Amino acid sequence: MFKTEEQTRTTPKKLRKMTKNRLQNIALYYLERFDSSSANLRQVLKRRVYDYARQTPDFDSSEADQWIDDIVLRFEELGYLNDNRYASFKIDDYLLSGKPERYIRQKMQQKGVSEKVVDEILNNREFDEEVMATRFAAKKRIGPYRPDENSRLENRQKDLATLVRAGFSYDIAKKIIGAENIDDFA
């Protein structure tokens, strides 16, 4: 059934007034769904305030910045936010999926986790770049993990470039791609 022009016309969504309590509820709802670093939650809340302030010109966003700081500090005190815990879980996940150290450091920097915390966690983990590159190659089905020899030879350069772009050193990427079979890594 076709809709009329009036039915398809969208009216702007009525914005609920931004208050400290509302911002806190937004933060709680976000943390129910996602684990987050303090800096990342701060960015999420600032984006919501920015969107509200853009549509409501008389809104004072400087007051909301103080609310955000208070909320993040309170959530850290309550244990809802813990950058060490967050980084530990995320780094373990990245290591299990075969991500290189450079990729991990970049992702943690984007989420606002301090370099000191990342260094501490990576130093306490078993981190062998060759093992990570092997996991990555297995996941992407490249190099010795390709199904047949012809496909492997045709895609040698492409597979090598994939590993290097992912953040692995050229020497390790060459070693993985040059391996005769999967058993070389067992």
Side-chain angles (χ1 to χ4, degrees):
M1 173 168 272
F2 295 104
K3 294 181 178 182
T4 65
E5 185 180 338
E6 288 180 21
Q7 291 172 329
T8 58
R9 199 177 310 150
T10 58
T11 58
K13 185 177 176 182
K14 185 177 181 200
L15 297 175
R16 291 175 49 196
K17 184 175 182 180
M18 187 64 66
T19 63
K20 184 176 182 178
N21 191 38
R22 174 148 168 67
L23 207 53
Q24 184 171 319
N25 288 339
I26 290 169
L28 283 170
Y29 182 66
Y30 183 82
L31 291 175
E32 282 178 5
R33 296 175 295 143
F34 309 106
D35 198 10
S36 179
S37 66
S38 299
N40 185 58
L41 180 64
R42 185 174 272 115
Q43 286 301 100
V44 167
L45 296 177
K46 283 186 179 197
R47 210 171 23 251
R48 289 294 292 266
V49 167
Y50 172 77
D51 290 344
Y52 181 80
R54 193 179 44 168
Q55 295 179 8
T56 313
D58 59 333
F59 179 71
D60 180 19
S61 61
S62 63
E63 184 180 14
D65 288 340
Q66 183 59 47
W67 295 341
I68 291 170
D69 292 339
D70 293 345
I71 290 168
V72 169
L73 184 63
R74 178 78 174 133
F75 283 7
E76 286 173 341
E77 291 170 356
L78 292 171
Y80 298 165
L81 291 173
N82 183 327
D83 284 357
N84 287 334
R85 181 186 67 220
Y86 170 75
S88 179
F89 287 142
K90 291 303 278 186
I91 288 173
D92 287 344
D93 191 39
Y94 290 141
L95 290 174
L96 284 174
S97 64
K99 300 295 185 194
E101 183 177 357
R102 183 171 56 178
Y103 176 90
I104 293 169
R105 288 183 182 283
Q106 183 181 19
K107 284 295 187 181
M108 291 294 99
Q109 183 182 18
Q110 288 173 354
K111 293 296 182 180
V113 177
S114 76
E115 200 170 316
K116 180 182 172 188
V117 170
V118 174
D119 286 341
E120 184 180 306
I121 293 169
L122 285 175
N123 289 336
N124 292 331
R125 300 293 190 275
E126 290 288 323
F127 188 76
D128 182 356
E129 190 174 9
E130 191 172 309
V131 172
M132 298 296 119
T134 304
R135 286 183 187 162
F136 184 83
K139 184 177 180 182
K140 296 291 184 179
R141 296 180 183 244
I142 59 176
Y145 296 94
R146 284 198 178 269
D148 61 72
E149 191 64 30
N150 287 337
S151 171
R152 189 169 171 205
L153 291 173
E154 289 173 9
N155 294 295
R156 181 175 168 76
Q157 286 302 113
K158 181 180 175 184
D159 293 351
L160 187 63
T162 299
L163 281 168
V164 171
R165 274 194 312 271
F168 297 105
S169 72
Y170 179 76
D171 292 334
I172 288 181
K174 204 164 105 177
K175 184 176 180 180
I176 300 296
I177 299 302
E180 290 299 317
N181 59 38
I182 299 169
D183 297 331
D184 292 349
F185 303 111

